[in-house]
Amino acid sequence: MRSSPERLLFAAGQVIYQAGEQADGAYLVLSGGVALASMGPDGRPRTVLRRCGDIIGDLALVEDGVRDATATSSEDCELLMFSSLHLVERMADVDPLVQLAFVSMATRYSETAERWGGGTPAAAPTARMRTVWSAQAQVARDLLSFEHQIRAGLERGEFEVFFQPIVQIDTGRLAGVEALTRWRHPRRGLLMPVDFISFAESCGAISALTNEGMRRMGTAFPILQAAAARSANGGPLFVGINVSSLDLEQECFAAMMAATLCDAGVDPADVKLEVTESILMADAERCAQTLRNCRDQGFAIAIDDFGAGYSSLNYLGMLPITDLKLDRSFCRSLLTEAAGAKIIEAILHLGQDLGLTVTAEGIETVEQFDRLKGMGCRLGQGYLFGPAITQDDMLALIADWPTLWRNFSPRPAA
Ligand code: C2E
Ligand code: CA
Ligand code: CA
């Protein structure tokens, strides 16, 4: 967790820091004014005034020296004191290119101060601060290199889409699949989304990944769909695909996705776009418009990881949602906590009243499956039915599904 900078109040005439004191941070002037008294380059004393919005003592952010000026409040003032640690913590959220540029400028600033300081104590940056900033620069360089690897991996076609089965709980029919991205990294092997999705989101590469996922899914899904139609499983499949907040920020997202899929022969009505509640909370209005456009194009819209963290249900009435995917934590608590089953039942009723299809995620045991079946949950997904697998393995699974289902279900499909 981030530490908070400290707010400090100074009465007019009070000394904030003295020249020659060890510097421990910089100050942002929030109100009032500060007089800075120091020796000018010509050896004569000089005073400058700093006002609301100015930062004083900022050399302390790039070197561990002593103050080269005395700061006194010229009137009552309020200051926010922050250290290099605060800066380093906040830097983690910044684009790595901006981080590198900052570290480069900070280092140059400190070197220039050292050169012009002429050997005064204030001009002696310590190894500690240089170490902090060079570690920060290394993190930024690693991030930039990872971003480059993602983009190069996309060009080399290293990102694949795996498919996980989704089952109609009352009949055991294979109802659909969820498309989940994997990175076949040339050196690190098969990488899972946890290794790259959140980074791709923070560096902006996620939209390219989503496009690639749609493109690959567009090629694979008609083949799976045809196999399902030929198999004893019968009937059509749907496919769920995850989208991120940056995707929904693109005004033309709905039209672009529909065009990509229509070119591939996929009907948007067979596609469920999965969005998490956290995305909707971050920019509800903009998301609402894009999601309405997606619905107009025929896509179904599923709330992924439903119930995982946000308590506001307002958006259910405002957005064109068709599906809820119950977070897998509910499945874990279904048989172990008294409230677990009650919460699932309440969500199933809510889904029914709002005309939404509910999928329970994370079904791992026959006991969980039986309980959900008794509650009337419509769709289920989880390791009990199988993990995400390659297109070829999914084709084999579709062909064998009725047999597989009879083998692992205590009550076979009617
Ligand atoms: P998700 O959308 O909630 O996907 C379900 C995740 O739960 C998958 O992990 C799946 O393998 C895992 N899972 C399925 N059944 C079970 C089970 O019974 N027990 C447990 N413990 N886990 C189960 P995966 O494939 O590692 O994906 C993780 C997350 O990464 C996904 O969570 C999704 O949020 C994100 N993701 C995956 N592919 C993409 C993508 O192409 N784009 C975006 N934006 N996000 C993606
Ligand atoms: Ca999902
Ligand atoms: Ca989920």
Side-chain angles (χ1 to χ4, degrees):
M1 208 170 71
R2 275 182 183 181
S3 47
S4 298
E6 199 179 351
R7 271 169 183 269
L8 300 167
L9 297 172
F10 290 89
Q14 217 178 328
V15 173
I16 298 162
Y17 56 75
Q18 298 253 24
E21 258 177 30
Q22 184 65 38
D24 49 0
Y27 298 81
L28 170 67
V29 183
L30 295 173
S31 68
V34 175
L36 279 181
S38 62
M39 281 299 168
D42 53 2
R44 285 201 237 158
R46 64 168 189 176
T47 300
V48 288
L49 264 185
R50 295 285 180 250
R51 302 217 147 267
C52 180
D54 289 338
I55 289 179
I56 60 170
D58 47 338
L59 206 55
L61 301 174
V62 291
E63 61 175 41
D64 223 6
V66 294
R67 302 286 185 197
D68 60 356
T70 296
T72 311
S73 45
S74 56
E75 55 189 288
D76 290 355
C77 65
E78 188 182 7
L79 306 178
L80 195 68
M81 188 201 176
F82 59 102
S83 65
S84 52
L85 178 69
H86 291 117
L87 209 58
V88 169
E89 284 174 351
R90 276 157 176 74
M91 198 69 96
D93 300 339
V94 170
D95 185 302
L97 201 59
V98 178
Q99 291 187 31
L100 266 186
F102 175 84
V103 172
S104 159
M105 285 187 280
T107 308
R108 187 157 308 186
Y109 181 40
S110 139
E111 283 168 359
T112 307
E114 185 177 28
R115 210 169 320 122
W116 289 101
T120 65
T126 63
R128 190 185 72 90
M129 290 303 287
R130 293 255 166 106
T131 310
V132 168
W133 288 117
S134 84
Q136 186 68 35
Q138 193 49 50
V139 170
R141 270 191 288 273
D142 289 348
L143 290 176
L144 273 178
S145 141
F146 195 54
E147 178 182 351
H148 170 73
Q149 284 181 47
I150 290 183
R151 296 199 188 273
L154 277 166
E155 276 169 27
R156 289 195 295 260
E158 291 166 6
F159 288 88
E160 294 180 18
V161 169
F162 277 34
F163 296 94
Q164 186 178 23
I166 298 177
V167 175
Q168 190 168 325
I169 291 183
D170 58 349
T171 62
R173 198 182 79 79
L174 191 64
V177 290
E178 177 172 357
L180 293 156
T181 300
R182 302 287 183 262
W183 184 0
R184 217 172 273 283
H185 195 282
R187 277 182 297 104
R188 295 168 62 195
L190 191 68
L191 298 187
M192 305 299 275
V194 69
D195 298 316
F196 58 89
I197 289 285
S198 67
F199 176 70
E201 278 172 338
S202 59
C203 75
I206 191 71
S207 301
L209 271 181
T210 303
N211 291 346
E212 175 71 355
M214 284 282 176
R215 206 182 56 73
R216 291 218 171 213
M217 184 273 273
T219 310
F221 184 63
I223 300 170
L224 300 181
Q225 188 70 293
R230 281 195 309 271
S231 77
N233 182 65
L237 297 178
F238 66 80
V239 58
I241 189 150
N242 296 282
V243 298
S244 92
S245 58
L246 283 182
D247 295 323
L248 297 183
E249 280 176 20
Q250 301 171 61
E251 261 172 41
C252 54
F253 175 74
M256 264 168 34
M257 292 304 129
T260 305
L261 294 179
C262 287
D263 284 351
V266 177
D267 183 351
D270 292 335
V271 180
K272 298 188 187 198
L273 301 179
E274 300 192 6
V275 291
T276 60
E277 288 170 301
S278 54
I279 294 180
L280 301 179
M281 294 300 125
D283 190 354
E285 203 26 61
R286 180 133 46 150
C287 284
Q289 191 48 53
T290 311
L291 289 179
R292 276 191 282 271
N293 295 343
C294 290
R295 195 73 195 100
D296 290 345
Q297 294 283 353
F299 293 106
I301 314 280
I303 301 299
D304 203 356
D305 305 340
F306 182 74
Y310 289 84
S311 52
S312 164
L313 296 177
N314 271 351
Y315 65 82
L316 286 180
M318 288 157 27
L319 297 173
I321 292 161
T322 55
D323 288 62
L324 296 180
K325 294 193 77 177
L326 206 54
D327 188 64
R328 60 175 180 263
S329 58
F330 289 111
C331 234
R332 271 200 299 271
S333 63
L334 176 63
L335 303 169
T336 55
E337 290 167 32
K342 289 206 159 45
I343 295 172
I344 294 186
E345 268 172 349
I347 296 176
L348 290 173
H349 281 134
L350 178 76
Q352 204 169 27
D353 290 347
L354 295 175
L356 307 174
T357 303
V358 179
T359 305
E361 289 192 290
I363 305 178
E364 296 183 355
T365 66
V366 173
E367 291 72 27
Q368 288 168 339
F369 170 78
D370 278 344
R371 196 72 195 272
L372 287 159
K373 187 173 179 178
M375 290 175 172
C377 182
R378 178 100 166 269
L379 298 173
Q381 180 178 356
Y383 294 159
L384 177 66
F385 315 117
I389 48 181
T390 61
Q391 175 186 338
D392 285 347
D393 288 344
M394 183 50 85
L395 279 171
L397 186 123
I398 289 170
D400 292 346
W401 184 255
T403 317
L404 289 169
W405 179 254
R406 265 195 301 279
N407 288 343
F408 80 68
S409 168
R411 278 182 287 283

